[in-house]
Amino acid sequence: MITNLFRAFAATGASALMASTALSHDEGATAGEIHIEGIAATPARSGETSRVTFTIENDGPDRAVLLGLLLTTGEPSQVRGFLGVSHSAAIAGVGVEAGDVYRLGDRTAWINVGPLRHDLPEGARVPAVVRFDRFDVPVTLHVDGSPAARKSR
């Protein structure tokens, strides 16, 4: 399934970076009973790392585990967890229990993507796939320069 999603997105290639203005909250994604909203990434240059945050709502009967994110250009991603002032570490994933809402952010967990192969300029919209333990969710990342996003770079 991941391969097919990559093929579908690969057709757009680097041109998928659209310089249109977008708000991080102007669209979300749903897969079954999992809802993802507020999908935002920090601006970053080629070779740097971008931080991705969003909210996951699990309306299903089962726990879902967030494992990472895939860009069409294949950059690696890593789920990171907040350990205290100026400390974070890679974590295996983030569990979202049935009926729970989880907000990825500076003081919880987030996804680092990179090093990037292409710039992610502010205002760009980039196709991606959010990976969970049992399924994947196609999304559009909105690259923004919000204060929380800039602080995390």
Side-chain angles (χ1 to χ4, degrees):
M1 182 168 145
I2 293 171
T3 303
N4 290 338
L5 288 171
F6 272 132
R7 286 183 186 143
F9 288 137
T12 61
S15 65
L17 298 177
M18 297 173 280
S20 61
T21 302
L23 299 175
S24 63
H25 63 276
D26 67 352
E27 71 181 74
T30 298
E33 295 173 325
I34 297 291
H35 311 286
I36 300 173
E37 297 178 349
I39 307 160
T42 58
R45 294 179 188 246
S46 178
E48 295 179 345
T49 299
S50 176
R51 181 178 285 197
V52 178
T53 59
F54 48 86
T55 299
I56 304 166
E57 182 176 353
N58 183 355
D59 288 334
D62 300 314
R63 180 179 199 241
V65 179
L66 172 69
L67 300 176
L69 182 130
L70 300 169
L71 293 182
T72 60
T73 47
E75 286 88 341
S77 74
Q78 184 178 71
V79 179
R80 308 274 311 168
F82 177 73
L83 300 178
V85 179
S86 300
H87 295 355
S88 68
I91 57 176
V94 173
V96 183
E97 300 298 328
D100 281 354
V101 174
Y102 189 90
R103 169 78 182 136
L104 281 81
D106 284 340
R107 299 227 177 251
T108 58
W110 60 89
I111 299 173
N112 277 353
V113 180
L116 297 171
R117 292 191 177 111
H118 304 283
D119 291 353
L120 285 181
E122 188 168 339
R125 295 172 41 161
V126 182
V129 176
V130 176
R131 298 190 58 231
F132 287 89
D133 55 339
R134 297 182 320 272
F135 54 90
D136 296 329
V137 183
V139 299
T140 300
L141 294 180
H142 299 275
V143 183
D144 70 17
S146 66
R150 283 194 302 270
K151 178 173 64 174
S152 68
R153 288 176 61 204

